[in-house]
Amino acid sequence: MAFIVKKNIHNKEYYYLNENKRVDGKVKTKTLAYLGKTRKGAEKKMNEFLENLRKKQKESIADKSVQKVSHEKAEISIEDLATFCKRKGFVYQSGEIYGGFAGFWDFGPLGVEMKNNIKKEWWRFHVSEREDVVGIDGSIITHPKIWEASGHVDSFSDLFVICKKCKKPRKIDKNEIVKAKCDFCGGEYDLSAAKEFKLMFETVVGEGGKAFLRPETAQLIFTNFKSVYDTSRLKLPCGIAQIGKSFRNEIAPRDFLFRCREFEQMEIEYFINPEKNSCPYKIPDAEILVYSEEAQKKNMDSVKMKISEALKNGIIKKDWHAYWLATEFLWFVNLGANPDNFRIRQHASEELSHYSSDTWDLEYKFPFGWRELEGIADRGNYDLNQHEKFSQKDLKIFDEETKKKILPSVICEPSLGVERAFLVFMFDSYFYDKERENIVLKLHPKIAPVKAAIFPIVKTNEKIVKISEMVYADLKKDFDVVYDGGGSVGRRYARNDEIGTPFCITIDGESLKDKDVTIRDRDTTKQIRVKISDLKETLKKLINKEIRFEKAGKIFYNKIPEN
């Protein structure tokens, strides 16, 4: 305990702050601070000193509590993730009670919320926050002539092959036929028995009218282009976006959600005047692994560099490609994805589509290797040309600037599968808590299926339960929240950590008198006290990362136990 001591030195009074402590069975006195020459001043300085000491002790306690967080990045296989997703209610195999149906998956209560959040964030970033992009929602079944014009009826196919060694089937692209090896055993394929396999699903409309389930969302953007351009008062350069289902009759669907027969796309077709092909936008500051055509042919590794540098050095040929590659990469990173797991890969000359002069893929390092997330290609005006030819309709637009009719070109086609984005966020957020032996899913709050869980600290106290239910009912109007009153608070924390809930809100005895609650942060386990009247606005800022957690309320040092 600290106390004031007066000392007379040369007939003058001096005041000190001392403290007695028992060390090895003996009481020893230690001087903590000099307090001045008057009793009144000494008391004031003592109070200030002790208050600062208490603050430092609290900060030390807080630091120690943070150090106790023992979340390790967990490396898991695609099969492990599929098991986890089923166990927690994210994704189930479709028709499982009948043995399952390969290539088709059903999203459960948590999965559908997360999937919708991913689509919402994609649409907000690519459409709502931009002035140059508008959206459509095209039909899944449309006029079959569209697929003739696009070339899908004649050429949208793969080669069906069987491994000589393990006898497993697989699809391969026609340009892979010589070098392809079996994914499962590394064996050679029986090329003598290879046959073409059409990838479009056929269906019947009315009394025998043949139609197709769309294999991509892009063509509806092209066929609606002129109508959208005219009615939306767009100006080149501009984009048309769409989110929707696509269907491909994959020969061998595999790797959980990575390769499905039914999937959802988020896609933009970005149009420019072919005579004005320079990008007016600043290329975002983004550093990523770059895997050029030259590096691939020389068996060299990818090199980390800024995308703007790759453009400057001539590795990326088009400034529009650099802009969209950086933009798409940063969309993932800003939603919590690990930038070290991404690279951009340039298509080799022999891979390029006949209408493309340069194509890049944004790739992700999955447990089964680097795979494409989305492609950035210039399609030129191939598609609009084809639809003009087959429909006999003029799809040209009048350019106010040049006072000429032009057929726009597609300079970029950022196309991303929702399911693949889902996998990226799941893999990069999957951590393991060594001390508590449970999974911690560190999803960004914006895409987390549940934003907050509300706990009464005890469910037998009617007053605490009443406030908890009131808080839950109020927050539910604006956020996806859950009410959890079962088991210990520690168990409830663990339950919500495993499904990615970023914040847990506990109502306790202090809430009754102070009208406040405790918010616990999933990633650091820190806790703050926030007034109930400020809770909704505080939660909104935390979800949008507009404020640091420590600044969102009063740090709570008497932490509610984790166990």
Side-chain angles (χ1 to χ4, degrees):
M1 182 177 179
F3 55 91
I4 295 175
V5 171
K6 182 177 74 172
K7 293 184 180 181
N8 287 306
I9 304 174
H10 302 301
N11 295 320
K12 290 183 179 180
E13 294 182 350
Y14 298 89
Y15 292 87
Y16 295 86
L17 183 64
N18 285 4
E19 182 183 45
N20 287 341
K21 274 194 173 180
R22 187 174 291 277
V23 180
D24 297 329
K26 295 180 180 180
V27 176
K28 292 188 177 182
T29 301
K30 179 183 178 182
T31 299
L32 300 177
Y34 169 64
L35 300 177
K37 298 179 180 180
T38 66
R39 180 77 189 186
K40 187 175 181 181
E43 289 175 350
K44 182 180 179 182
K45 286 187 176 181
M46 179 186 73
N47 291 332
E48 290 174 354
F49 179 88
L50 294 176
E51 179 62 27
N52 286 333
L53 186 63
R54 279 192 289 270
K55 283 182 180 179
K56 288 180 180 178
Q57 288 172 339
K58 286 180 178 180
E59 289 172 1
S60 175
I61 292 169
D63 290 341
K64 287 177 181 176
S65 69
V66 172
Q67 290 171 5
K68 288 180 182 177
V69 176
S70 55
H71 300 164
E72 280 187 351
K73 186 69 189 77
E75 302 299 330
I76 58 169
S77 68
I78 192 75
E79 293 80 15
D80 292 335
L81 184 62
T83 300
F84 174 82
C85 286
K86 178 185 175 182
R87 179 164 56 88
K88 288 298 173 183
F90 283 94
V91 184
Y92 317 119
Q93 188 170 28
S94 188
E96 189 172 23
I97 62 171
Y98 292 97
F101 204 36
F104 298 93
W105 299 90
D106 299 331
F107 283 77
L110 294 176
V112 71
E113 293 294 342
M114 182 171 163
K115 189 180 182 188
N116 286 340
N117 289 340
I118 290 171
K119 292 189 288 185
K120 176 184 173 184
E121 288 305 310
W122 188 91
W123 194 267
R124 182 186 60 77
F125 180 82
H126 291 89
V127 182
S128 303
E129 292 184 355
R130 298 184 65 109
E131 295 181 355
D132 57 339
V133 179
V134 296
I136 67 167
D137 184 7
S139 176
I140 287 174
I141 299 174
T142 186
H143 200 296
K145 281 280 186 183
I146 288 175
W147 307 113
E148 290 181 32
S150 67
H152 282 82
V153 170
D154 291 333
S155 59
F156 191 55
S157 60
D158 281 321
L159 288 178
F160 177 84
V161 291
I162 296 177
C163 177
K164 292 179 180 178
K165 186 177 178 181
C166 69
K167 307 301 181 186
K168 288 187 177 179
R170 188 202 164 193
K171 73 158 192 174
I172 58 173
D173 294 329
K174 294 168 187 176
N175 61 2
E176 293 180 340
I177 190 167
V178 176
K179 61 182 180 180
K181 300 290 183 183
C182 179
D183 285 348
F184 301 101
C185 71
E188 294 184 353
Y189 291 111
D190 183 1
L191 300 182
S192 63
K195 60 182 180 180
E196 191 175 34
F197 188 87
K198 297 290 186 182
L199 296 177
M200 282 202 297
F201 283 102
E202 293 185 8
T203 188
V204 175
V205 176
E207 294 185 10
K210 182 180 177 181
F212 304 94
L213 301 184
R214 67 182 183 196
E216 65 176 29
T217 54
Q219 294 306 317
L220 277 298
I221 293 176
F222 295 124
T223 56
N224 285 299
F225 168 73
K226 199 167 188 305
S227 296
V228 173
Y229 189 87
D230 291 341
T231 56
S232 299
R233 300 176 63 84
L234 287 169
K235 286 184 180 180
L236 297 175
C238 62
I240 300 176
Q242 183 172 199
I243 297 177
K245 294 271 191 180
S246 293
F247 305 83
R248 294 181 185 177
N249 193 14
E250 295 283 353
I251 295 169
R254 59 191 180 278
D255 295 325
F256 189 29
L257 296 173
F258 182 80
R259 192 172 298 282
C260 309
R261 287 173 168 142
E262 176 184 339
F263 55 96
E264 206 159 2
Q265 287 181 286
M266 305 182 288
E267 184 167 60
I268 295 173
E269 299 297 332
Y270 201 86
F271 299 90
I272 64 167
N273 183 334
E275 297 177 2
K276 296 181 177 182
N277 56 10
S278 62
C279 176
Y281 304 123
K282 181 181 177 182
I283 296 169
D285 187 20
E287 190 175 58
I288 192 172
L289 289 170
V290 177
Y291 200 30
S292 65
E293 179 181 10
E294 181 184 9
Q296 294 169 63
K297 289 185 173 179
K298 292 182 178 179
N299 290 321
M300 298 164 61
D301 292 332
S302 53
V303 178
K304 182 167 277 192
M305 66 175 73
K306 289 192 174 182
I307 289 179
S308 56
E309 183 185 344
L311 175 67
K312 183 180 178 181
N313 293 340
I315 301 170
I316 298 175
K317 298 173 185 175
K318 298 177 184 288
D319 52 1
W320 276 111
H321 287 184
Y323 169 77
W324 280 107
L325 283 166
T327 298
E328 296 307 286
F329 169 60
L330 290 177
W331 179 76
F332 276 102
V333 172
N334 291 337
L335 286 174
N338 181 357
D340 294 335
N341 288 335
F342 290 80
R343 75 177 183 189
I344 56 173
R345 186 186 73 84
Q346 187 175 29
H347 282 211
S349 304
E350 56 270 20
E351 289 182 85
L352 291 175
S353 302
H354 61 87
Y355 50 72
S356 179
S357 60
D358 194 21
T359 297
W360 287 79
D361 288 340
L362 178 64
E363 296 188 332
Y364 178 80
K365 192 176 183 180
F366 288 96
F368 42 88
W370 289 101
R371 295 291 189 275
E372 177 192 346
L373 271 183
E374 57 182 306
I376 304 293
D378 61 320
R379 298 179 68 110
N381 55 20
Y382 169 79
D383 296 278
L384 291 179
N385 255 323
Q386 286 293 100
H387 289 301
E388 271 198 337
K389 177 182 174 182
F390 276 75
S391 69
Q392 299 296 302
K393 298 292 191 300
D394 182 9
L395 299 181
K396 297 178 183 67
I397 60 169
F398 183 76
D399 183 44
E400 290 288 347
E401 194 172 337
T402 60
K403 304 300 180 184
K404 293 192 301 185
K405 288 190 76 174
I406 61 170
L407 192 65
S409 290
V410 171
I411 189 64
C412 277
E413 182 193 40
S415 179
L416 171 66
V418 178
E419 289 80 2
R420 291 189 185 185
F422 179 94
L423 290 177
V424 167
F425 292 124
M426 290 296 280
F427 277 121
D428 279 352
S429 65
Y430 196 94
F431 285 75
Y432 185 71
D433 188 330
K434 290 189 299 181
E435 288 192 4
R436 295 166 62 196
E437 299 183 338
N438 69 276
I439 302 304
V440 180
L441 208 57
K442 295 190 176 185
L443 293 168
H444 191 291
K446 285 184 178 180
I447 60 173
V450 177
K451 308 304 182 193
I454 292 86
F455 305 161
I457 195 164
V458 288
K459 60 183 180 180
T460 55
N461 187 312
E462 291 184 4
K463 292 181 179 179
I464 288 177
V465 169
K466 185 176 180 181
I467 293 178
S468 302
E469 291 174 344
M470 179 196 73
V471 168
Y472 170 64
D474 188 43
L475 293 180
K476 196 173 176 65
K477 296 173 186 174
D478 297 289
F479 307 102
D480 291 314
V481 296
V482 297
Y483 184 92
D484 191 347
S488 69
V489 172
R491 184 60 220 145
R492 284 179 264 176
Y493 282 157
R495 212 158 35 222
N496 281 278
D497 285 349
E498 286 196 330
I499 63 171
T501 306
F503 308 108
C504 290
I505 299 167
T506 303
I507 292 82
D508 55 22
E510 292 185 32
S511 304
L512 299 177
K513 58 178 182 177
D514 296 333
K515 307 296 184 207
D516 61 4
V517 298
T518 298
I519 304 180
R520 180 254 197 189
D521 178 58
R522 174 197 64 208
D523 297 343
T524 65
T525 74
K526 287 182 179 179
Q527 297 180 13
I528 56 174
R529 297 293 290 194
V530 174
K531 292 293 182 183
I532 293 175
S533 57
D534 298 330
L535 183 56
K536 189 177 286 189
E537 185 63 24
T538 300
L539 190 57
K540 178 185 174 184
K541 288 180 178 179
L542 288 172
I543 290 169
N544 292 326
K545 292 190 177 287
E546 295 172 1
I547 189 172
R548 286 178 56 202
F549 184 78
E550 297 84 352
K551 301 292 184 182
K554 186 178 178 182
I555 293 290
F556 188 46
Y557 295 103
N558 298 321
K559 288 177 61 177
I560 296 170
E562 291 284 317
N563 297 310

